[in-house]
Amino acid sequence: MHIAFFDSGAGGLTVLHEAIKKMPGEHYIYFGDSHNAPYGTKSREEIRELVFKAVDFLTAKGLKALVLACNTATSAAVAELREKYDFPIIGMEPAVKPAIENSREHKVLVCATDLTLKEEKLNNLVRNLNAGDKVDYLSLQKLVMFAENFEFDGQQVTAYLKEKLAQADWSKYDSIVLGCTHFIFFREQIRRFIPARIRILDGNEGTVNNLMTKIDIRNSPEKKEIQYYISGSRAAAGHFQRYLDYLAKTDTPKGQVW
Ligand code: DGL
């Protein structure tokens, strides 16, 4: 039985990367719907249709759990997926809760895709935390396609981040939440354009911890081969692996706070 990770493209690899570190003995399947990326500019209905198609494909492979490693797909479809399937389905949630709990007099800037920012799921989360006046939003939608093109540090990325992040009045904030799995690839670049005291948070580790409470973990020390699919076909050799290699290269030492 496999643990499947699903995303609109390569973003979910940032979550898979965390999972492999904590559970190296599992059988993983990664499905990136890159031919249909980005999801964040699509309608909720379009996203739902794509997600259901992908999950039907994955289910046929025999799953012990599914990680919707995409905030946008989670916002649009997690409730309906849980009604339809009986294996554990773990969704993403922007790390607004820990950000709010640790911020005192300052506010939190939540960055996500266009769709995530306008969906009810995020609005409900903020409302339930009673944090409406403590949270501002910023879409960094274009980072999704930069990541799809394996472009993390080029001139266009730098110009985009510089322009977008200059729009925020940083004296108001003490943390920034990366509420899209593709954004994790740009953590270091984002760091360059915000004050050093601002903390950068994401939901990846929390998601993997959540997954670990829902499954029986295989206690095998050997590393297993990962099966990669891109929009329903086998991905070309190395296509997704190079993202994991990039993440391993840019990983932070344990315990370092972003
Ligand atoms: N990785 C997706 C997320 O976490 C990106 C969505 C997109 O394709 O726009 O939201």
Side-chain angles (χ1 to χ4, degrees):
M1 297 282 266
H2 298 82
I3 304 176
F5 280 70
F6 170 78
D7 180 49
S8 63
L13 292 161
T14 63
V15 192
L16 177 61
H17 173 67
E18 291 299 326
I20 295 169
K21 281 197 269 183
K22 292 188 188 230
M23 297 180 288
E26 292 292 333
H27 294 282
Y28 293 104
I29 298 180
Y30 187 81
F31 187 119
D33 199 5
S34 296
H35 296 328
N36 294 304
Y39 275 15
T41 52
K42 292 184 167 52
S43 71
R44 186 180 188 171
E45 287 63 39
E46 282 175 290
I47 296 167
R48 258 189 225 172
E49 214 169 284
L50 292 166
V51 174
F52 270 99
K53 198 170 151 207
V55 177
D56 280 342
F57 172 88
L58 287 167
T59 306
K61 314 233 165 272
L63 301 188
K64 72 191 240 190
L66 168 71
V67 179
L68 272 188
C70 177
N71 291 265
T72 307
T74 303
S75 302
V78 74
E80 287 84 348
L81 285 174
R82 286 194 180 123
E83 273 167 30
K84 182 167 175 195
Y85 300 101
D86 54 10
F87 45 78
I89 298 179
I90 290 87
M92 298 296 301
E93 184 170 274
V96 179
K97 193 166 183 260
I100 294 289
E101 282 167 359
N102 289 306
S103 89
R104 287 168 205 99
E105 65 270 31
H106 288 91
K107 294 173 84 172
V108 169
L109 185 66
V110 178
C111 300
T113 63
D114 296 349
L115 189 286
T116 301
L117 294 182
K118 57 179 192 237
E119 267 304 313
E120 211 163 311
K121 198 161 186 302
L122 179 59
N123 293 327
N124 286 343
L125 173 68
V126 172
R127 198 173 321 118
N128 291 339
L129 292 168
N130 220 345
D133 55 349
K134 293 224 28 164
V135 177
D136 288 334
Y137 303 108
L138 178 69
S139 169
L140 294 176
Q141 180 67 54
K142 277 196 180 167
L143 290 184
V144 174
M145 290 315 282
F146 283 131
E148 287 302 304
N149 296 326
F150 207 77
E151 194 181 336
F152 302 123
D153 214 3
Q155 207 219 312
Q156 288 188 17
V157 173
T158 308
Y160 176 67
L161 281 175
K162 194 173 173 187
E163 193 240 305
K164 294 300 275 187
L165 296 171
Q167 290 171 15
D169 171 4
W170 291 102
S171 66
K172 290 200 298 194
Y173 306 108
D174 60 16
S175 46
I176 177 171
V177 171
L178 303 184
C180 167
T181 51
H182 280 80
F183 297 176
I184 312 303
F185 290 110
F186 301 92
R187 238 179 342 199
E188 278 184 47
Q189 291 80 326
I190 289 170
R191 171 52 75 219
R192 282 190 226 142
F193 297 109
I194 63 177
R197 62 176 183 80
I198 305 282
R199 288 174 316 128
I200 304 179
L201 290 118
D202 66 69
N204 283 10
E205 199 173 353
T207 300
V208 174
N209 289 341
N210 188 6
L211 167 66
M212 292 171 80
T213 65
K214 304 253 161 75
I215 55 167
D216 290 325
I217 298 168
R218 280 186 85 245
N219 239 340
S220 157
E222 20 154 2
K223 233 179 158 172
K224 289 284 175 299
E225 189 116 316
I226 304 164
Q227 289 178 36
Y228 293 105
Y229 294 93
I230 185 161
S231 302
S233 309
R234 279 274 188 180
H239 176 77
F240 284 131
Q241 182 59 46
R242 69 194 166 137
Y243 287 89
L244 289 180
D245 295 344
Y246 177 81
L247 288 166
K249 211 173 68 195
T250 54
D251 227 355
T252 42
K254 194 122 192 84
Q256 178 177 329
V257 177
W258 274 94

PDB file of all heavy atoms in Angstrom, residues 57-90:
ATOM      1  N   PHE A  57      -7.591   8.013 -10.215  1.00  0.00           N
ATOM      2  CA  PHE A  57      -6.419   7.351 -10.806  1.00  0.00           C
ATOM      3  C   PHE A  57      -5.531   6.764  -9.696  1.00  0.00           C
ATOM      4  O   PHE A  57      -5.101   5.623  -9.761  1.00  0.00           O
ATOM      5  CB  PHE A  57      -5.651   8.387 -11.643  1.00  0.00           C
ATOM      6  CG  PHE A  57      -4.326   7.927 -12.161  1.00  0.00           C
ATOM      7  CD1 PHE A  57      -4.237   7.264 -13.388  1.00  0.00           C
ATOM      8  CD2 PHE A  57      -3.156   8.167 -11.448  1.00  0.00           C
ATOM      9  CE1 PHE A  57      -3.003   6.838 -13.878  1.00  0.00           C
ATOM     10  CE2 PHE A  57      -1.920   7.741 -11.933  1.00  0.00           C
ATOM     11  CZ  PHE A  57      -1.851   7.072 -13.149  1.00  0.00           C
ATOM     12  N   LEU A  58      -5.291   7.559  -8.671  1.00  0.00           N
ATOM     13  CA  LEU A  58      -4.397   7.108  -7.594  1.00  0.00           C
ATOM     14  C   LEU A  58      -5.009   5.986  -6.775  1.00  0.00           C
ATOM     15  O   LEU A  58      -4.314   5.061  -6.345  1.00  0.00           O
ATOM     16  CB  LEU A  58      -4.073   8.303  -6.670  1.00  0.00           C
ATOM     17  CG  LEU A  58      -3.110   9.332  -7.263  1.00  0.00           C
ATOM     18  CD1 LEU A  58      -3.097  10.610  -6.430  1.00  0.00           C
ATOM     19  CD2 LEU A  58      -1.693   8.745  -7.340  1.00  0.00           C
ATOM     20  N   THR A  59      -6.313   6.058  -6.560  1.00  0.00           N
ATOM     21  CA  THR A  59      -6.991   5.055  -5.733  1.00  0.00           C
ATOM     22  C   THR A  59      -6.806   3.658  -6.302  1.00  0.00           C
ATOM     23  O   THR A  59      -6.652   2.679  -5.562  1.00  0.00           O
ATOM     24  CB  THR A  59      -8.494   5.383  -5.648  1.00  0.00           C
ATOM     25  OG1 THR A  59      -8.611   6.727  -5.203  1.00  0.00           O
ATOM     26  CG2 THR A  59      -9.198   4.493  -4.662  1.00  0.00           C
ATOM     27  N   ALA A  60      -6.785   3.572  -7.627  1.00  0.00           N
ATOM     28  CA  ALA A  60      -6.645   2.266  -8.282  1.00  0.00           C
ATOM     29  C   ALA A  60      -5.301   1.615  -7.944  1.00  0.00           C
ATOM     30  O   ALA A  60      -5.113   0.411  -8.130  1.00  0.00           O
ATOM     31  CB  ALA A  60      -6.784   2.445  -9.788  1.00  0.00           C
ATOM     32  N   LYS A  61      -4.341   2.399  -7.448  1.00  0.00           N
ATOM     33  CA  LYS A  61      -3.011   1.843  -7.131  1.00  0.00           C
ATOM     34  C   LYS A  61      -2.957   1.262  -5.718  1.00  0.00           C
ATOM     35  O   LYS A  61      -1.952   0.677  -5.327  1.00  0.00           O
ATOM     36  CB  LYS A  61      -1.935   2.921  -7.263  1.00  0.00           C
ATOM     37  CG  LYS A  61      -2.058   3.742  -8.518  1.00  0.00           C
ATOM     38  CD  LYS A  61      -0.751   3.772  -9.290  1.00  0.00           C
ATOM     39  CE  LYS A  61      -0.933   4.264 -10.693  1.00  0.00           C
ATOM     40  NZ  LYS A  61      -1.269   3.282 -11.686  1.00  0.00           N
ATOM     41  N   GLY A  62      -4.005   1.474  -4.936  1.00  0.00           N
ATOM     42  CA  GLY A  62      -4.025   0.955  -3.565  1.00  0.00           C
ATOM     43  C   GLY A  62      -3.342   1.918  -2.608  1.00  0.00           C
ATOM     44  O   GLY A  62      -2.118   1.945  -2.520  1.00  0.00           O
ATOM     45  N   LEU A  63      -4.149   2.705  -1.913  1.00  0.00           N
ATOM     46  CA  LEU A  63      -3.575   3.737  -1.041  1.00  0.00           C
ATOM     47  C   LEU A  63      -3.838   3.453   0.429  1.00  0.00           C
ATOM     48  O   LEU A  63      -4.917   3.018   0.795  1.00  0.00           O
ATOM     49  CB  LEU A  63      -4.184   5.115  -1.362  1.00  0.00           C
ATOM     50  CG  LEU A  63      -4.029   5.649  -2.782  1.00  0.00           C
ATOM     51  CD1 LEU A  63      -4.522   7.095  -2.845  1.00  0.00           C
ATOM     52  CD2 LEU A  63      -2.591   5.563  -3.264  1.00  0.00           C
ATOM     53  N   LYS A  64      -2.823   3.728   1.253  1.00  0.00           N
ATOM     54  CA  LYS A  64      -3.089   3.686   2.699  1.00  0.00           C
ATOM     55  C   LYS A  64      -3.411   5.095   3.208  1.00  0.00           C
ATOM     56  O   LYS A  64      -4.012   5.244   4.271  1.00  0.00           O
ATOM     57  CB  LYS A  64      -1.961   3.029   3.483  1.00  0.00           C
ATOM     58  CG  LYS A  64      -0.661   3.777   3.634  1.00  0.00           C
ATOM     59  CD  LYS A  64       0.397   2.824   4.196  1.00  0.00           C
ATOM     60  CE  LYS A  64       0.959   3.287   5.512  1.00  0.00           C
ATOM     61  NZ  LYS A  64       2.132   2.501   5.935  1.00  0.00           N
ATOM     62  N   ALA A  65      -3.023   6.111   2.443  1.00  0.00           N
ATOM     63  CA  ALA A  65      -3.388   7.496   2.784  1.00  0.00           C
ATOM     64  C   ALA A  65      -3.124   8.378   1.574  1.00  0.00           C
ATOM     65  O   ALA A  65      -2.331   8.033   0.694  1.00  0.00           O
ATOM     66  CB  ALA A  65      -2.570   8.002   3.962  1.00  0.00           C
ATOM     67  N   LEU A  66      -3.806   9.516   1.566  1.00  0.00           N
ATOM     68  CA  LEU A  66      -3.586  10.516   0.515  1.00  0.00           C
ATOM     69  C   LEU A  66      -3.280  11.846   1.185  1.00  0.00           C
ATOM     70  O   LEU A  66      -4.009  12.281   2.075  1.00  0.00           O
ATOM     71  CB  LEU A  66      -4.847  10.663  -0.343  1.00  0.00           C
ATOM     72  CG  LEU A  66      -4.878  11.869  -1.288  1.00  0.00           C
ATOM     73  CD1 LEU A  66      -3.889  11.690  -2.443  1.00  0.00           C
ATOM     74  CD2 LEU A  66      -6.286  12.095  -1.845  1.00  0.00           C
ATOM     75  N   VAL A  67      -2.200  12.479   0.733  1.00  0.00           N
ATOM     76  CA  VAL A  67      -1.900  13.828   1.192  1.00  0.00           C
ATOM     77  C   VAL A  67      -2.217  14.783   0.056  1.00  0.00           C
ATOM     78  O   VAL A  67      -1.624  14.686  -1.028  1.00  0.00           O
ATOM     79  CB  VAL A  67      -0.415  13.967   1.613  1.00  0.00           C
ATOM     80  CG1 VAL A  67      -0.136  15.392   2.069  1.00  0.00           C
ATOM     81  CG2 VAL A  67      -0.071  12.970   2.711  1.00  0.00           C
ATOM     82  N   LEU A  68      -3.157  15.647   0.287  1.00  0.00           N
ATOM     83  CA  LEU A  68      -3.445  16.704  -0.696  1.00  0.00           C
ATOM     84  C   LEU A  68      -2.425  17.794  -0.413  1.00  0.00           C
ATOM     85  O   LEU A  68      -2.665  18.685   0.403  1.00  0.00           O
ATOM     86  CB  LEU A  68      -4.841  17.276  -0.456  1.00  0.00           C
ATOM     87  CG  LEU A  68      -6.036  16.642  -1.118  1.00  0.00           C
ATOM     88  CD1 LEU A  68      -7.258  17.507  -0.872  1.00  0.00           C
ATOM     89  CD2 LEU A  68      -5.824  16.438  -2.606  1.00  0.00           C
ATOM     90  N   ALA A  69      -1.282  17.678  -1.060  1.00  0.00           N
ATOM     91  CA  ALA A  69      -0.149  18.546  -0.730  1.00  0.00           C
ATOM     92  C   ALA A  69      -0.253  19.870  -1.478  1.00  0.00           C
ATOM     93  O   ALA A  69       0.705  20.342  -2.078  1.00  0.00           O
ATOM     94  CB  ALA A  69       1.159  17.829  -1.039  1.00  0.00           C
ATOM     95  N   CYS A  70      -1.426  20.427  -1.443  1.00  0.00           N
ATOM     96  CA  CYS A  70      -1.758  21.625  -2.205  1.00  0.00           C
ATOM     97  C   CYS A  70      -2.851  22.362  -1.443  1.00  0.00           C
ATOM     98  O   CYS A  70      -3.940  21.809  -1.235  1.00  0.00           O
ATOM     99  CB  CYS A  70      -2.270  21.196  -3.583  1.00  0.00           C
ATOM    100  SG  CYS A  70      -2.824  22.537  -4.642  1.00  0.00           S
ATOM    101  N   ASN A  71      -2.542  23.569  -1.015  1.00  0.00           N
ATOM    102  CA  ASN A  71      -3.534  24.347  -0.258  1.00  0.00           C
ATOM    103  C   ASN A  71      -4.752  24.654  -1.117  1.00  0.00           C
ATOM    104  O   ASN A  71      -5.883  24.665  -0.633  1.00  0.00           O
ATOM    105  CB  ASN A  71      -2.926  25.676   0.205  1.00  0.00           C
ATOM    106  CG  ASN A  71      -1.872  25.490   1.270  1.00  0.00           C
ATOM    107  OD1 ASN A  71      -2.154  25.579   2.446  1.00  0.00           O
ATOM    108  ND2 ASN A  71      -0.649  25.200   0.849  1.00  0.00           N
ATOM    109  N   THR A  72      -4.502  24.904  -2.404  1.00  0.00           N
ATOM    110  CA  THR A  72      -5.589  25.294  -3.306  1.00  0.00           C
ATOM    111  C   THR A  72      -6.558  24.129  -3.509  1.00  0.00           C
ATOM    112  O   THR A  72      -7.773  24.296  -3.395  1.00  0.00           O
ATOM    113  CB  THR A  72      -4.985  25.744  -4.652  1.00  0.00           C
ATOM    114  OG1 THR A  72      -3.985  26.741  -4.377  1.00  0.00           O
ATOM    115  CG2 THR A  72      -6.035  26.319  -5.563  1.00  0.00           C
ATOM    116  N   ALA A  73      -6.025  22.939  -3.776  1.00  0.00           N
ATOM    117  CA  ALA A  73      -6.877  21.759  -3.954  1.00  0.00           C
ATOM    118  C   ALA A  73      -7.600  21.416  -2.656  1.00  0.00           C
ATOM    119  O   ALA A  73      -8.765  21.011  -2.671  1.00  0.00           O
ATOM    120  CB  ALA A  73      -6.028  20.570  -4.408  1.00  0.00           C
ATOM    121  N   THR A  74      -6.912  21.600  -1.533  1.00  0.00           N
ATOM    122  CA  THR A  74      -7.555  21.337  -0.237  1.00  0.00           C
ATOM    123  C   THR A  74      -8.742  22.287  -0.052  1.00  0.00           C
ATOM    124  O   THR A  74      -9.840  21.858   0.315  1.00  0.00           O
ATOM    125  CB  THR A  74      -6.551  21.531   0.926  1.00  0.00           C
ATOM    126  OG1 THR A  74      -5.431  20.667   0.710  1.00  0.00           O
ATOM    127  CG2 THR A  74      -7.184  21.207   2.268  1.00  0.00           C
ATOM    128  N   SER A  75      -8.517  23.575  -0.324  1.00  0.00           N
ATOM    129  CA  SER A  75      -9.601  24.558  -0.168  1.00  0.00           C
ATOM    130  C   SER A  75     -10.805  24.170  -1.013  1.00  0.00           C
ATOM    131  O   SER A  75     -11.945  24.288  -0.587  1.00  0.00           O
ATOM    132  CB  SER A  75      -9.165  25.951  -0.638  1.00  0.00           C
ATOM    133  OG  SER A  75      -8.048  26.377   0.056  1.00  0.00           O
ATOM    134  N   ALA A  76     -10.534  23.690  -2.231  1.00  0.00           N
ATOM    135  CA  ALA A  76     -11.631  23.453  -3.173  1.00  0.00           C
ATOM    136  C   ALA A  76     -12.307  22.103  -3.000  1.00  0.00           C
ATOM    137  O   ALA A  76     -13.499  21.975  -3.299  1.00  0.00           O
ATOM    138  CB  ALA A  76     -11.105  23.586  -4.609  1.00  0.00           C
ATOM    139  N   ALA A  77     -11.574  21.083  -2.507  1.00  0.00           N
ATOM    140  CA  ALA A  77     -12.133  19.729  -2.663  1.00  0.00           C
ATOM    141  C   ALA A  77     -12.009  18.777  -1.477  1.00  0.00           C
ATOM    142  O   ALA A  77     -12.569  17.677  -1.537  1.00  0.00           O
ATOM    143  CB  ALA A  77     -11.476  19.069  -3.882  1.00  0.00           C
ATOM    144  N   VAL A  78     -11.349  19.162  -0.390  1.00  0.00           N
ATOM    145  CA  VAL A  78     -11.070  18.140   0.640  1.00  0.00           C
ATOM    146  C   VAL A  78     -12.344  17.565   1.275  1.00  0.00           C
ATOM    147  O   VAL A  78     -12.434  16.357   1.519  1.00  0.00           O
ATOM    148  CB  VAL A  78     -10.071  18.656   1.715  1.00  0.00           C
ATOM    149  CG1 VAL A  78     -10.706  19.648   2.673  1.00  0.00           C
ATOM    150  CG2 VAL A  78      -9.451  17.498   2.471  1.00  0.00           C
ATOM    151  N   ALA A  79     -13.334  18.405   1.491  1.00  0.00           N
ATOM    152  CA  ALA A  79     -14.545  17.921   2.173  1.00  0.00           C
ATOM    153  C   ALA A  79     -15.230  16.836   1.338  1.00  0.00           C
ATOM    154  O   ALA A  79     -15.567  15.758   1.856  1.00  0.00           O
ATOM    155  CB  ALA A  79     -15.490  19.086   2.438  1.00  0.00           C
ATOM    156  N   GLU A  80     -15.378  17.080   0.040  1.00  0.00           N
ATOM    157  CA  GLU A  80     -16.041  16.107  -0.842  1.00  0.00           C
ATOM    158  C   GLU A  80     -15.211  14.831  -0.981  1.00  0.00           C
ATOM    159  O   GLU A  80     -15.760  13.736  -1.045  1.00  0.00           O
ATOM    160  CB  GLU A  80     -16.281  16.697  -2.230  1.00  0.00           C
ATOM    161  CG  GLU A  80     -17.381  17.738  -2.289  1.00  0.00           C
ATOM    162  CD  GLU A  80     -16.898  19.128  -1.907  1.00  0.00           C
ATOM    163  OE1 GLU A  80     -15.761  19.257  -1.372  1.00  0.00           O
ATOM    164  OE2 GLU A  80     -17.648  20.088  -2.129  1.00  0.00           O
ATOM    165  N   LEU A  81     -13.893  14.974  -1.029  1.00  0.00           N
ATOM    166  CA  LEU A  81     -13.043  13.775  -1.144  1.00  0.00           C
ATOM    167  C   LEU A  81     -13.221  12.880   0.072  1.00  0.00           C
ATOM    168  O   LEU A  81     -13.305  11.666  -0.044  1.00  0.00           O
ATOM    169  CB  LEU A  81     -11.567  14.175  -1.263  1.00  0.00           C
ATOM    170  CG  LEU A  81     -11.100  14.743  -2.602  1.00  0.00           C
ATOM    171  CD1 LEU A  81      -9.658  15.223  -2.478  1.00  0.00           C
ATOM    172  CD2 LEU A  81     -11.203  13.712  -3.719  1.00  0.00           C
ATOM    173  N   ARG A  82     -13.287  13.502   1.241  1.00  0.00           N
ATOM    174  CA  ARG A  82     -13.427  12.696   2.474  1.00  0.00           C
ATOM    175  C   ARG A  82     -14.762  11.970   2.509  1.00  0.00           C
ATOM    176  O   ARG A  82     -14.870  10.900   3.097  1.00  0.00           O
ATOM    177  CB  ARG A  82     -13.269  13.596   3.701  1.00  0.00           C
ATOM    178  CG  ARG A  82     -11.824  14.007   3.906  1.00  0.00           C
ATOM    179  CD  ARG A  82     -11.574  14.596   5.281  1.00  0.00           C
ATOM    180  NE  ARG A  82     -10.182  14.966   5.429  1.00  0.00           N
ATOM    181  CZ  ARG A  82      -9.743  16.180   5.743  1.00  0.00           C
ATOM    182  NH1 ARG A  82     -10.615  17.158   5.976  1.00  0.00           N
ATOM    183  NH2 ARG A  82      -8.454  16.413   5.843  1.00  0.00           N
ATOM    184  N   GLU A  83     -15.761  12.550   1.868  1.00  0.00           N
ATOM    185  CA  GLU A  83     -17.056  11.859   1.814  1.00  0.00           C
ATOM    186  C   GLU A  83     -16.982  10.633   0.907  1.00  0.00           C
ATOM    187  O   GLU A  83     -17.638   9.635   1.137  1.00  0.00           O
ATOM    188  CB  GLU A  83     -18.132  12.804   1.263  1.00  0.00           C
ATOM    189  CG  GLU A  83     -18.780  13.655   2.333  1.00  0.00           C
ATOM    190  CD  GLU A  83     -19.604  14.776   1.742  1.00  0.00           C
ATOM    191  OE1 GLU A  83     -20.139  14.610   0.623  1.00  0.00           O
ATOM    192  OE2 GLU A  83     -19.693  15.829   2.396  1.00  0.00           O
ATOM    193  N   LYS A  84     -16.167  10.751  -0.152  1.00  0.00           N
ATOM    194  CA  LYS A  84     -16.160   9.698  -1.163  1.00  0.00           C
ATOM    195  C   LYS A  84     -15.231   8.519  -0.824  1.00  0.00           C
ATOM    196  O   LYS A  84     -15.536   7.383  -1.160  1.00  0.00           O
ATOM    197  CB  LYS A  84     -15.763  10.315  -2.513  1.00  0.00           C
ATOM    198  CG  LYS A  84     -15.758   9.324  -3.649  1.00  0.00           C
ATOM    199  CD  LYS A  84     -15.678   9.965  -5.014  1.00  0.00           C
ATOM    200  CE  LYS A  84     -15.559   8.878  -6.076  1.00  0.00           C
ATOM    201  NZ  LYS A  84     -15.127   9.387  -7.358  1.00  0.00           N
ATOM    202  N   TYR A  85     -14.094   8.794  -0.200  1.00  0.00           N
ATOM    203  CA  TYR A  85     -13.099   7.735   0.020  1.00  0.00           C
ATOM    204  C   TYR A  85     -12.960   7.407   1.503  1.00  0.00           C
ATOM    205  O   TYR A  85     -13.157   8.286   2.348  1.00  0.00           O
ATOM    206  CB  TYR A  85     -11.738   8.172  -0.537  1.00  0.00           C
ATOM    207  CG  TYR A  85     -11.770   8.462  -2.015  1.00  0.00           C
ATOM    208  CD1 TYR A  85     -11.824   9.764  -2.482  1.00  0.00           C
ATOM    209  CD2 TYR A  85     -11.774   7.423  -2.947  1.00  0.00           C
ATOM    210  CE1 TYR A  85     -11.872  10.038  -3.845  1.00  0.00           C
ATOM    211  CE2 TYR A  85     -11.816   7.687  -4.304  1.00  0.00           C
ATOM    212  CZ  TYR A  85     -11.869   8.996  -4.746  1.00  0.00           C
ATOM    213  OH  TYR A  85     -11.921   9.260  -6.083  1.00  0.00           O
ATOM    214  N   ASP A  86     -12.557   6.151   1.783  1.00  0.00           N
ATOM    215  CA  ASP A  86     -12.493   5.819   3.208  1.00  0.00           C
ATOM    216  C   ASP A  86     -11.067   5.704   3.753  1.00  0.00           C
ATOM    217  O   ASP A  86     -10.874   5.392   4.915  1.00  0.00           O
ATOM    218  CB  ASP A  86     -13.332   4.577   3.527  1.00  0.00           C
ATOM    219  CG  ASP A  86     -12.949   3.402   2.643  1.00  0.00           C
ATOM    220  OD1 ASP A  86     -11.924   3.524   1.935  1.00  0.00           O
ATOM    221  OD2 ASP A  86     -13.672   2.385   2.662  1.00  0.00           O
ATOM    222  N   PHE A  87     -10.036   6.015   2.938  1.00  0.00           N
ATOM    223  CA  PHE A  87      -8.677   6.058   3.499  1.00  0.00           C
ATOM    224  C   PHE A  87      -8.432   7.479   4.040  1.00  0.00           C
ATOM    225  O   PHE A  87      -9.130   8.418   3.638  1.00  0.00           O
ATOM    226  CB  PHE A  87      -7.626   5.664   2.444  1.00  0.00           C
ATOM    227  CG  PHE A  87      -7.818   6.304   1.099  1.00  0.00           C
ATOM    228  CD1 PHE A  87      -7.440   7.619   0.869  1.00  0.00           C
ATOM    229  CD2 PHE A  87      -8.407   5.592   0.053  1.00  0.00           C
ATOM    230  CE1 PHE A  87      -7.615   8.209  -0.359  1.00  0.00           C
ATOM    231  CE2 PHE A  87      -8.597   6.180  -1.186  1.00  0.00           C
ATOM    232  CZ  PHE A  87      -8.208   7.498  -1.391  1.00  0.00           C
ATOM    233  N   PRO A  88      -7.451   7.626   4.951  1.00  0.00           N
ATOM    234  CA  PRO A  88      -7.205   8.962   5.504  1.00  0.00           C
ATOM    235  C   PRO A  88      -6.785   9.960   4.414  1.00  0.00           C
ATOM    236  O   PRO A  88      -5.951   9.628   3.559  1.00  0.00           O
ATOM    237  CB  PRO A  88      -6.064   8.750   6.495  1.00  0.00           C
ATOM    238  CG  PRO A  88      -5.998   7.288   6.742  1.00  0.00           C
ATOM    239  CD  PRO A  88      -6.576   6.600   5.539  1.00  0.00           C
ATOM    240  N   ILE A  89      -7.381  11.133   4.425  1.00  0.00           N
ATOM    241  CA  ILE A  89      -7.022  12.190   3.481  1.00  0.00           C
ATOM    242  C   ILE A  89      -6.553  13.392   4.298  1.00  0.00           C
ATOM    243  O   ILE A  89      -7.311  13.951   5.091  1.00  0.00           O
ATOM    244  CB  ILE A  89      -8.214  12.568   2.584  1.00  0.00           C
ATOM    245  CG1 ILE A  89      -8.636  11.344   1.757  1.00  0.00           C
ATOM    246  CG2 ILE A  89      -7.848  13.751   1.673  1.00  0.00           C
ATOM    247  CD1 ILE A  89      -9.818  11.566   0.836  1.00  0.00           C
ATOM    248  N   ILE A  90      -5.283  13.725   4.104  1.00  0.00           N
ATOM    249  CA  ILE A  90      -4.689  14.812   4.881  1.00  0.00           C
ATOM    250  C   ILE A  90      -4.551  16.029   3.988  1.00  0.00           C
ATOM    251  O   ILE A  90      -3.931  15.957   2.928  1.00  0.00           O
ATOM    252  CB  ILE A  90      -3.312  14.397   5.475  1.00  0.00           C
ATOM    253  CG1 ILE A  90      -3.522  13.352   6.576  1.00  0.00           C
ATOM    254  CG2 ILE A  90      -2.585  15.570   6.107  1.00  0.00           C
ATOM    255  CD1 ILE A  90      -3.593  11.966   6.161  1.00  0.00           C
TER     256      ILE A  90
END
